[in-house]
Amino acid sequence: MDRNPSPPCSDAEEEEGDAVGNTVYSKHWLFSVLTRLIEVIAPAEPDPAASPEGARTELDEEMENDICKVWDMSMDEDVALFLQEFNAPDIFMGVFAKSKCPRLTEICVGILGNMACFQDICMSISKDENLGQVLLQRLCDSDSPTLLETSRLLLTCLSHPEVANVWVERIRENPSVYDCVCFIMSSSTNVELLVKVGEVVDKLFDLDEELMLNWIKNGTCRSVGPSVDDSPEELPDFKIVPCILEAAKQVRSDNPEGLDVYMHILQLLTTVDEGIQAIVQAPDGGKETWSLLYDLVCQELCQPDDPPIIVQEQKTVLASILSVLSAMFASQTEQEYTRMRKSKSCLFLDMPLIGSLIRILQYMEGCGKRAVDNSKESEQEETARTDVNEEDFHLKILKDICCELLSNMLQELTKENTLEGLHQGHLNEQTCSCAFQNLLPLYFASVESFLEVLREADQTLADNLEKRFPSLKVHT
């Protein structure tokens, strides 16, 4: 049986006026399904298929088939409005309160999620305080499909500006949401669920800095969380950063969009001092975060065997990653391990990363030349020009972040680091020229500092670079 079978149509024999709005769907059929749904959660007589507690744990095939049809139909606004007029949300509230059938709960949340796509219905659902609280409790469910549909519903509501603040405030006042979300991120292996939960967290942090600060500081108290048998269960003492990292590790190989989401969450954390400190003052000194991001940049994204155009596809995730790395690198100067910074073994000063930063700049130069060539060949329409300008804007952000991190790292290089870079091939006349071309004149001091160190390591290379960039010539 298909998950969501094709919806039924209103037959010609149906009485006139039976169609829902401008659709061909039957009011009578919808009414009968919702009536049967009420009977499922409140049977008039004991059901032999019910559990010992008196509630169904499985849906019969016909009922599942029909309620799935309603799920499909609810994507139509006329059907969604009909369900709203029939008080379907109240019926679903009864399902959430009484049903022991995970599949039924999933479908009902899914229908609400479809209905919430329409503004007026979303406002009605959101302003129902009881329904709002019950839906948040679904985040503590042990059923992954139900969690997925609940997350989709929350994201839909948070995406409506008219009601977003209602949900932000509701979530802020409900501390169990933090624990449930952290539990999902740290323990789930369901990539689709992790991506959707990540999108919810990303939206929440983007909408409300106060909530983000609360979640950064959270983890000192325990609250009730998911449990298979509905009995209270203490959750671990969650910290937000390790949970985000664990989810990112799960999605990195299977879902590039999901990785982008979690990297943006980390970037949002670094927009406040508390977030940066939560990253770099972890028990491992931020090494796990740095290691993951370093591995993504140096081993997976924008690699030497990729075409330069890859930087266009990866510009947003690269910008988020480099932004976090830049914040961590800058923050280390204020940490107790500052004295280790100039050591060759320092975790935060690595030649392959410098090589990767320069390669990103080289690829962006290649994309820039291609864009110029294309513009000469043909004149773009206004909408296309707008898209190109937007792409240019995102590439500029990536370039700015990349240059800032590169300049900070070059300024900290020692002779030993530089010799290592020359030996490994990360530093040569071509790569240094690219770096200087992008860093000058804004980061003149950093380039000048690096050139002095380079002169100790390779006088000839330093002289050649000085000739190519006369502004760097040392005045005596």
Side-chain angles (χ1 to χ4, degrees):
M1 180 182 67
D2 293 336
R3 178 181 175 80
N4 292 336
S6 300
C9 295
S10 182
D11 296 331
E13 291 80 10
E14 294 279 1
E15 63 183 64
E16 192 173 343
D18 183 58
V20 178
N22 293 321
T23 73
V24 294
Y25 304 137
S26 166
K27 288 181 183 178
H28 177 76
W29 183 86
L30 269 171
F31 182 87
S32 67
V33 174
L34 292 175
T35 302
R36 286 159 54 206
L37 180 59
I38 295 173
E39 293 171 353
V40 167
I41 59 176
E45 298 180 3
D47 189 334
S51 66
E53 291 78 14
R56 286 175 178 263
T57 57
E58 299 290 341
L59 277 176
D60 64 62
E61 185 174 344
E62 181 182 1
M63 185 62 197
E64 181 173 352
N65 187 51
D66 286 346
I67 197 68
C68 278
K69 290 178 182 177
V70 177
W71 191 357
D72 260 358
M73 295 164 64
S74 62
M75 290 188 290
D76 186 288
E77 185 172 9
D78 287 334
V79 174
L81 288 169
F82 177 82
L83 293 172
Q84 176 77 1
E85 292 170 5
F86 193 76
N87 295 322
D90 290 339
I91 297 175
F92 298 153
M93 280 270 286
V95 171
F96 302 148
K98 299 178 182 180
S99 174
K100 300 294 183 182
C101 175
R103 176 64 169 151
L104 180 59
T105 302
E106 173 206 354
I107 295 170
C108 290
V109 177
I111 295 172
L112 277 176
N114 284 349
M115 294 172 65
C117 292
F118 307 105
Q119 182 175 323
D120 290 343
I121 300 177
C122 185
M123 291 179 68
S124 176
I125 291 173
S126 300
K127 291 178 180 179
D128 187 330
E129 186 62 29
N130 290 332
L131 180 58
Q133 293 297 334
V134 168
L135 288 173
L136 289 184
Q137 290 172 13
R138 297 271 65 78
L139 286 173
C140 296
D141 206 294
S142 59
D143 181 60
S144 290
T146 298
L147 289 171
L148 176 61
E149 293 307 318
T150 303
S151 301
R152 185 173 72 87
L153 170 58
L154 289 177
L155 184 62
T156 300
C157 293
L158 289 169
S159 298
H160 283 282
E162 301 81 7
V163 298
N165 288 339
V166 173
W167 286 98
V168 169
E169 184 65 27
R170 189 174 285 150
I171 291 171
R172 191 190 299 131
E173 294 175 354
N174 194 329
S176 67
V177 173
Y178 169 86
D179 278 336
C180 293
V181 167
C182 284
F183 181 83
I184 294 168
M185 290 193 297
S186 63
S187 62
S188 178
T189 57
N190 185 320
V191 171
E192 189 178 5
L193 171 59
L194 287 172
V195 173
K196 194 58 64 178
V197 168
E199 290 175 344
V200 171
V201 174
D202 188 44
K203 190 68 174 179
L204 284 171
F205 285 4
D206 195 38
L207 286 170
D208 193 79
E209 185 176 293
E210 181 184 345
L211 183 142
M212 181 173 71
L213 287 169
N214 289 341
W215 281 26
I216 291 170
K217 298 171 185 175
N218 215 328
T220 57
C221 59
R222 299 177 185 274
S223 55
V224 175
S227 176
V228 175
D229 59 2
D230 289 338
S231 60
E233 177 182 320
E234 280 195 343
L235 290 175
D237 192 17
F238 288 120
K239 301 289 186 183
I240 189 69
V241 173
C243 295
I244 294 170
L245 293 179
E246 189 59 39
K249 292 174 186 176
Q250 286 289 334
V251 305
R252 64 185 289 187
S253 299
D254 299 323
N255 195 299
E257 293 78 12
L259 180 64
D260 199 343
V261 168
Y262 279 99
M263 294 302 100
H264 190 253
I265 295 173
L266 283 177
Q267 182 182 3
L268 287 174
L269 292 183
T270 64
T271 60
V272 295
D273 289 339
E274 293 86 348
I276 297 174
Q277 297 310 310
I279 293 173
V280 300
Q281 291 185 351
D284 64 354
K287 290 181 180 180
E288 184 178 2
T289 302
W290 184 277
S291 178
L292 173 62
L293 303 188
Y294 171 91
D295 195 43
L296 287 170
V297 174
C298 296
Q299 303 296 331
E300 293 188 21
L301 300 173
C302 205
Q303 293 302 293
D305 55 349
D306 289 328
I309 195 66
I310 194 70
V311 77
Q312 283 278 14
E313 299 176 15
Q314 300 174 349
K315 56 184 178 291
T316 56
V317 67
L318 281 169
S320 294
I321 293 172
L322 297 185
S323 181
V324 178
L325 290 174
S326 185
M328 293 181 69
F329 191 86
S331 176
Q332 70 173 314
T333 61
E334 303 172 6
Q335 306 301 318
E336 61 181 359
Y337 46 79
T338 300
R339 56 187 173 80
M340 297 175 54
R341 271 179 34 221
K342 293 185 182 293
S343 166
K344 286 200 313 181
S345 61
C346 177
L347 174 69
F348 300 114
L349 195 57
D350 196 287
M351 293 312 305
L353 179 55
I354 290 177
S356 294
L357 295 176
I358 296 174
R359 181 167 60 251
I360 291 170
L361 292 173
Q362 289 174 318
Y363 282 9
M364 280 194 282
E365 287 182 352
C367 289
K369 291 176 182 176
R370 178 175 176 177
V372 171
D373 293 340
N374 288 342
S375 66
K376 290 178 180 178
E377 290 176 7
S378 61
E379 195 171 315
Q380 304 294 318
E381 295 181 359
E382 186 63 32
T383 53
R385 283 200 297 269
T386 300
D387 292 340
V388 170
N389 289 338
E390 186 175 343
E391 283 188 2
D392 290 345
F393 174 73
H394 288 296
L395 281 175
K396 183 181 184 304
I397 291 176
L398 173 58
K399 179 180 177 180
D400 290 345
I401 296 170
C402 188
C403 286
E404 180 182 9
L405 177 55
L406 179 60
S407 69
N408 287 337
M409 297 189 77
L410 289 180
Q411 197 165 18
E412 301 302 329
L413 289 179
T414 64
K415 178 182 177 181
E416 290 75 16
N417 297 140
T418 305
L419 287 169
E420 179 186 358
L422 292 167
H423 176 71
Q424 295 174 350
H426 300 299
L427 297 179
N428 53 48
E429 188 166 346
Q430 182 184 19
T431 58
C432 289
S433 294
C434 175
F436 288 10
Q437 184 69 39
N438 285 278
L439 295 178
L440 293 173
L442 185 60
Y443 297 103
F444 181 88
S446 295
V447 174
E448 188 177 45
S449 171
F450 167 65
L451 189 61
E452 291 179 8
V453 176
L454 182 61
R455 189 172 285 107
E456 298 178 26
D458 190 329
Q459 180 70 49
T460 302
L461 177 56
D463 290 342
N464 290 342
L465 290 169
E466 200 172 72
K467 291 176 183 177
R468 297 185 71 170
F469 299 92
S471 63
L472 292 171
K473 188 172 182 179
V474 178
H475 298 284
T476 57

